[in-house]
Protein backbone atom coordinates (compact mmCIF):
# COMPACT_ATOMS: atom_id res chain seq x y z
CA UNK A 1 0.00 0.00 0.00
CA UNK A 2 2.83 2.38 0.90
CA UNK A 3 4.63 1.55 -2.36
CA UNK A 4 1.45 2.24 -4.32
CA UNK A 5 1.00 5.56 -2.54
CA UNK A 6 4.54 6.58 -3.49
CA UNK A 7 3.91 5.67 -7.11
CA UNK A 8 0.70 7.73 -7.17
CA UNK A 9 2.45 10.68 -5.49
CA UNK A 10 5.33 10.52 -7.96
CA UNK A 11 2.87 10.41 -10.84
CA UNK A 12 1.06 13.47 -9.53
CA UNK A 13 4.33 15.41 -9.12
CA UNK A 14 5.44 14.43 -12.62
CA UNK A 15 2.09 15.51 -14.00
CA UNK A 16 2.32 18.87 -12.25
CA UNK A 17 5.83 19.41 -13.64
CA UNK A 18 4.71 18.58 -17.16
CA UNK A 19 1.64 20.79 -16.78
CA UNK A 20 3.80 23.64 -15.47
CA UNK A 21 6.22 23.33 -18.35
CA UNK A 22 3.34 23.30 -20.81
CA UNK A 23 1.79 26.37 -19.18
CA UNK A 24 5.09 28.23 -19.34
CA UNK A 25 5.18 27.62 -23.08
CA UNK A 26 1.49 27.87 -23.90
CA UNK A 27 0.60 30.59 -21.39
CA UNK A 28 1.73 33.56 -23.51
CA UNK A 29 0.06 32.05 -26.58
CA UNK A 30 -3.20 31.60 -24.66
CA UNK A 31 -2.85 35.17 -23.38
CA UNK A 32 -2.31 36.48 -26.90
CA UNK A 33 -4.95 34.46 -28.72
CA UNK A 34 -7.73 34.00 -26.14
CA UNK A 35 -7.36 36.69 -23.46
CA UNK A 36 -6.10 39.71 -25.42
CA UNK A 37 -7.35 38.45 -28.78
CA UNK A 38 -6.44 39.97 -32.13
CA UNK A 39 -5.29 43.58 -31.98
CA UNK A 40 -7.61 46.20 -33.42
CA UNK A 41 -6.81 47.10 -37.00
CA UNK A 42 -4.83 50.24 -37.75
CA UNK A 43 -7.24 53.15 -38.29
CA UNK A 44 -8.48 53.88 -41.80
CA UNK A 45 -11.18 56.18 -43.12
CA UNK A 46 -14.67 55.00 -43.93
CA UNK A 47 -16.69 56.27 -46.87
CA UNK A 48 -20.16 57.09 -45.57
CA UNK A 49 -22.96 57.10 -48.14
CA UNK A 50 -24.77 60.43 -48.12
CA UNK A 51 -27.56 60.56 -50.72
CA UNK A 52 -28.17 64.28 -50.19
CA UNK A 53 -24.51 65.16 -50.83
CA UNK A 54 -24.43 64.06 -54.43
CA UNK A 55 -21.27 62.90 -56.17
CA UNK A 56 -18.39 64.41 -58.08
CA UNK A 57 -16.13 67.35 -57.32
CA UNK A 58 -16.67 69.30 -54.12
CA UNK A 59 -16.45 73.05 -54.51
CA UNK A 60 -13.49 74.71 -52.74
CA UNK A 61 -15.89 77.11 -51.04
CA UNK A 62 -17.53 74.08 -49.45
CA UNK A 63 -14.29 73.35 -47.59
CA UNK A 64 -13.20 76.85 -46.60
CA UNK A 65 -13.62 77.67 -42.94
CA UNK A 66 -13.10 76.19 -39.50
CA UNK A 67 -13.54 72.49 -38.76
CA UNK A 68 -13.57 70.71 -35.42
CA UNK A 69 -12.90 67.19 -34.17
CA UNK A 70 -16.27 65.57 -33.53
CA UNK A 71 -17.62 62.59 -31.61
CA UNK A 72 -16.53 59.16 -32.77
CA UNK A 73 -12.88 60.20 -33.00
CA UNK A 74 -10.16 58.26 -31.19
CA UNK A 75 -6.39 58.27 -30.72
CA UNK A 76 -3.81 56.14 -28.96
CA UNK A 77 -0.83 53.91 -29.54
CA UNK A 78 0.19 50.55 -30.96
CA UNK A 79 3.23 48.63 -29.70
CA UNK A 80 4.59 45.09 -29.80
CA UNK A 81 5.36 43.23 -26.58
CA UNK A 82 7.40 40.06 -26.26
CA UNK A 83 5.92 37.86 -23.50
CA UNK A 84 8.13 34.83 -22.78
CA UNK A 85 9.17 34.78 -26.42
CA UNK A 86 5.65 35.28 -27.81
CA UNK A 87 4.87 38.44 -29.79
CA UNK A 88 1.77 40.30 -28.58
CA UNK A 89 0.49 43.46 -30.26
CA UNK A 90 -1.03 45.92 -27.79
CA UNK A 91 -3.36 48.76 -28.76
CA UNK A 92 -4.37 51.54 -26.37
CA UNK A 93 -7.08 54.04 -27.30
CA UNK A 94 -9.17 56.92 -26.03
CA UNK A 95 -12.08 58.90 -27.45
CA UNK A 96 -11.04 61.95 -25.43
CA UNK A 97 -9.73 63.86 -28.47
CA UNK A 98 -10.30 67.52 -29.32
CA UNK A 99 -9.01 69.80 -32.03
CA UNK A 100 -9.56 72.44 -34.69
CA UNK A 101 -8.54 72.80 -38.32
CA UNK A 102 -8.63 75.79 -40.68
CA UNK A 103 -9.10 75.39 -44.44
CA UNK A 104 -8.79 78.05 -47.14
CA UNK A 105 -9.93 76.90 -50.58
CA UNK A 106 -8.18 73.53 -50.91
CA UNK A 107 -5.36 74.26 -48.44
CA UNK A 108 -5.23 73.00 -44.87
CA UNK A 109 -3.63 76.03 -43.26
CA UNK A 110 -3.57 74.98 -39.63
CA UNK A 111 -4.49 72.13 -37.34
CA UNK A 112 -4.06 71.40 -33.65
CA UNK A 113 -5.12 68.11 -32.08
CA UNK A 114 -5.09 67.34 -28.34
CA UNK A 115 -5.37 63.89 -26.74
CA UNK A 116 -6.16 63.19 -23.09
CA UNK A 117 -3.31 60.74 -22.43
CA UNK A 118 -4.55 59.70 -18.98
CA UNK A 119 -7.68 58.16 -20.50
CA UNK A 120 -5.83 55.89 -22.97
CA UNK A 121 -6.66 52.31 -22.02
CA UNK A 122 -5.69 48.78 -23.08
CA UNK A 123 -6.89 45.36 -21.89
CA UNK A 124 -4.66 45.56 -18.78
CA UNK A 125 -5.04 48.02 -15.91
CA UNK A 126 -1.50 47.18 -14.71
CA UNK A 127 -0.08 48.08 -18.11
CA UNK A 128 -2.17 51.26 -18.16
CA UNK A 129 -0.92 52.28 -14.71
CA UNK A 130 2.70 51.85 -15.82
CA UNK A 131 2.04 53.79 -19.02
CA UNK A 132 0.43 56.68 -17.16
CA UNK A 133 2.69 56.86 -14.12
CA UNK A 134 6.10 55.77 -15.42
CA UNK A 135 6.15 56.07 -19.19
CA UNK A 136 4.47 59.40 -19.95
CA UNK A 137 4.00 60.71 -16.37
CA UNK A 138 0.50 62.05 -16.87
CA UNK A 139 0.62 64.11 -13.67
CA UNK A 140 3.20 66.29 -15.46
CA UNK A 141 2.09 65.68 -19.05
CA UNK A 142 -1.68 65.10 -19.09
CA UNK A 143 -2.06 65.61 -22.84
CA UNK A 144 -0.31 64.88 -26.13
CA UNK A 145 -0.64 67.28 -29.07
CA UNK A 146 -0.03 67.49 -32.78
CA UNK A 147 0.33 70.95 -34.33
CA UNK A 148 0.58 71.34 -38.10
CA UNK A 149 3.69 73.32 -39.08
CA UNK A 150 3.50 73.17 -42.91
CA UNK A 151 0.36 73.90 -44.86
CA UNK A 152 -1.08 70.97 -46.78
CA UNK A 153 -1.97 71.98 -50.33
CA UNK A 154 -4.27 69.84 -52.46
CA UNK A 155 -4.04 69.86 -56.26
CA UNK A 156 -7.78 70.28 -56.54
CA UNK A 157 -11.06 70.03 -54.73
CA UNK A 158 -11.69 66.47 -53.51
CA UNK A 159 -14.55 64.39 -54.83
CA UNK A 160 -17.16 63.44 -52.25
CA UNK A 161 -16.54 59.87 -51.13
CA UNK A 162 -13.07 59.69 -52.69
CA UNK A 163 -10.28 58.60 -50.33
CA UNK A 164 -7.13 60.70 -50.70
CA UNK A 165 -3.62 60.04 -49.37
CA UNK A 166 -1.78 63.14 -48.21
CA UNK A 167 1.28 63.99 -46.11
CA UNK A 168 1.30 66.36 -43.17
CA UNK A 169 4.25 67.69 -41.19
CA UNK A 170 3.91 69.00 -37.68
CA UNK A 171 5.15 69.01 -34.09
CA UNK A 172 4.20 65.99 -31.98
CA UNK A 173 4.44 66.58 -28.23
CA UNK A 174 4.44 63.46 -26.07
CA UNK A 175 5.59 63.10 -22.45
CA UNK A 176 6.64 66.75 -22.50
CA UNK A 177 8.99 66.35 -25.48
CA UNK A 178 8.29 67.89 -28.90
CA UNK A 179 9.56 66.38 -32.16
CA UNK A 180 8.86 67.22 -35.78
CA UNK A 181 7.12 64.33 -37.56
CA UNK A 182 5.71 63.67 -41.01
CA UNK A 183 2.67 61.46 -41.25
CA UNK A 184 0.88 59.92 -44.21
CA UNK A 185 -2.84 60.45 -43.87
CA UNK A 186 -5.98 59.05 -45.40
CA UNK A 187 -8.70 61.67 -45.83
CA UNK A 188 -12.24 61.53 -47.16
CA UNK A 189 -15.01 64.08 -47.56
CA UNK A 190 -18.40 62.56 -46.73
CA UNK A 191 -20.69 65.35 -47.79
CA UNK A 192 -20.96 67.78 -44.88
CA UNK A 193 -18.47 65.86 -42.75
CA UNK A 194 -14.99 64.45 -43.21
CA UNK A 195 -12.62 61.94 -41.71
CA UNK A 196 -8.83 61.76 -41.39
CA UNK A 197 -6.86 58.74 -40.16
CA UNK A 198 -3.19 57.91 -39.84
CA UNK A 199 -0.34 56.33 -37.88
CA UNK A 200 2.85 58.11 -36.83
CA UNK A 201 5.88 55.82 -36.34
CA UNK A 202 7.88 56.83 -33.27
CA UNK A 203 10.88 55.71 -31.26
CA UNK A 204 9.95 55.99 -27.59
CA UNK A 205 13.42 57.08 -26.50
CA UNK A 206 13.09 60.16 -28.72
CA UNK A 207 10.38 61.34 -26.33
CA UNK A 208 12.20 60.35 -23.16
CA UNK A 209 10.01 57.26 -22.73
CA UNK A 210 11.84 54.10 -21.66
CA UNK A 211 10.25 50.91 -22.97
CA UNK A 212 9.96 48.54 -19.98
CA UNK A 213 11.85 45.25 -19.83
CA UNK A 214 10.75 43.04 -16.92
CA UNK A 215 12.52 39.87 -18.02
CA UNK A 216 9.45 37.79 -18.87
CA UNK A 217 7.94 40.70 -20.83
CA UNK A 218 9.63 43.41 -22.86
CA UNK A 219 8.32 46.18 -25.08
CA UNK A 220 9.80 46.99 -28.47
CA UNK A 221 11.57 50.39 -28.61
CA UNK A 222 9.44 51.56 -31.55
CA UNK A 223 5.70 51.90 -31.93
CA UNK A 224 2.96 54.02 -33.46
CA UNK A 225 0.77 56.92 -32.44
CA UNK A 226 -2.60 56.30 -34.11
CA UNK A 227 -5.67 58.42 -34.68
CA UNK A 228 -9.00 58.54 -36.49
CA UNK A 229 -10.65 61.95 -36.55
CA UNK A 230 -14.26 62.66 -37.43
CA UNK A 231 -14.47 66.24 -38.71
CA UNK A 232 -17.42 68.61 -38.69
CA UNK A 233 -17.80 72.31 -39.34
CA UNK A 234 -17.08 74.39 -36.27
Amino acid sequence: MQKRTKIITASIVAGVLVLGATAAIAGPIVYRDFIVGPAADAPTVTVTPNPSAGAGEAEASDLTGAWTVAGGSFAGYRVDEVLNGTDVTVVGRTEQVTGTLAVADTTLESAEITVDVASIATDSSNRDDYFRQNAVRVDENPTATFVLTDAVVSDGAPAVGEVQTIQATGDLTLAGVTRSVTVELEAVLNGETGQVAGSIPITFADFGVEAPNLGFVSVEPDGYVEFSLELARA
Side-chain angles (χ1 to χ4, degrees):
M1 182 68 179
Q2 186 177 11
K3 181 178 180 180
R4 183 182 177 187
T5 301
K6 289 181 178 180
I7 293 174
I8 294 174
T9 302
S11 299
I12 293 173
V13 171
V16 170
L17 291 176
V18 170
L19 181 61
T22 302
I25 297 171
I29 298 175
V30 171
Y31 172 77
R32 179 192 65 192
D33 294 341
F34 297 101
I35 299 177
V36 177
D41 293 334
T44 58
V45 297
T46 302
V47 177
T48 303
N50 188 344
S52 64
E57 294 276 317
E59 295 294 334
S61 59
D62 291 341
L63 304 178
T64 296
W67 295 73
T68 186
V69 175
S73 301
F74 65 82
Y77 68 89
R78 178 181 301 266
V79 67
D80 289 333
E81 291 181 346
V82 180
L83 178 63
N84 286 342
T86 300
D87 293 332
V88 179
T89 298
V90 174
V91 174
R93 288 181 175 174
T94 178
E95 295 185 355
Q96 301 300 311
V97 186
T98 58
T100 56
L101 303 86
V103 179
D105 295 328
T106 58
T107 299
L108 176 61
E109 294 187 326
S110 65
E112 182 168 354
I113 311 300
T114 300
V115 179
D116 177 16
V117 176
S119 63
I120 294 176
T122 68
D123 61 289
S124 168
S125 59
N126 289 333
R127 181 192 296 112
D128 295 341
D129 288 343
Y130 180 91
F131 170 77
R132 294 164 185 162
Q133 298 172 15
N134 301 92
V136 296
R137 304 176 300 281
V138 295
D139 55 335
E140 303 171 17
N141 312 293
T143 61
T145 60
F146 175 84
V147 179
L148 188 72
T149 54
D150 295 341
V152 179
V153 182
S154 176
D155 293 335
V160 173
E162 178 186 356
V163 178
Q164 292 186 317
T165 300
I166 58 178
Q167 282 194 334
T169 299
D171 288 337
L172 175 66
T173 300
L174 176 66
V177 177
T178 301
R179 299 283 185 185
S180 178
V181 297
T182 298
V183 55
E184 189 171 271
L185 303 171
E186 282 189 347
V188 66
L189 180 65
N190 289 316
E192 295 299 316
T193 64
Q195 186 185 10
V196 176
S199 300
I200 306 173
I202 65 169
T203 298
F204 296 116
D206 291 344
F207 294 88
V209 175
E210 182 178 352
N213 187 335
L214 306 178
F216 64 94
V217 59
S218 62
V219 176
E220 295 296 322
D222 303 313
Y224 295 88
V225 171
E226 299 183 330
F227 55 90
S228 175
L229 307 178
E230 300 288 340
L231 304 178
R233 290 196 176 276

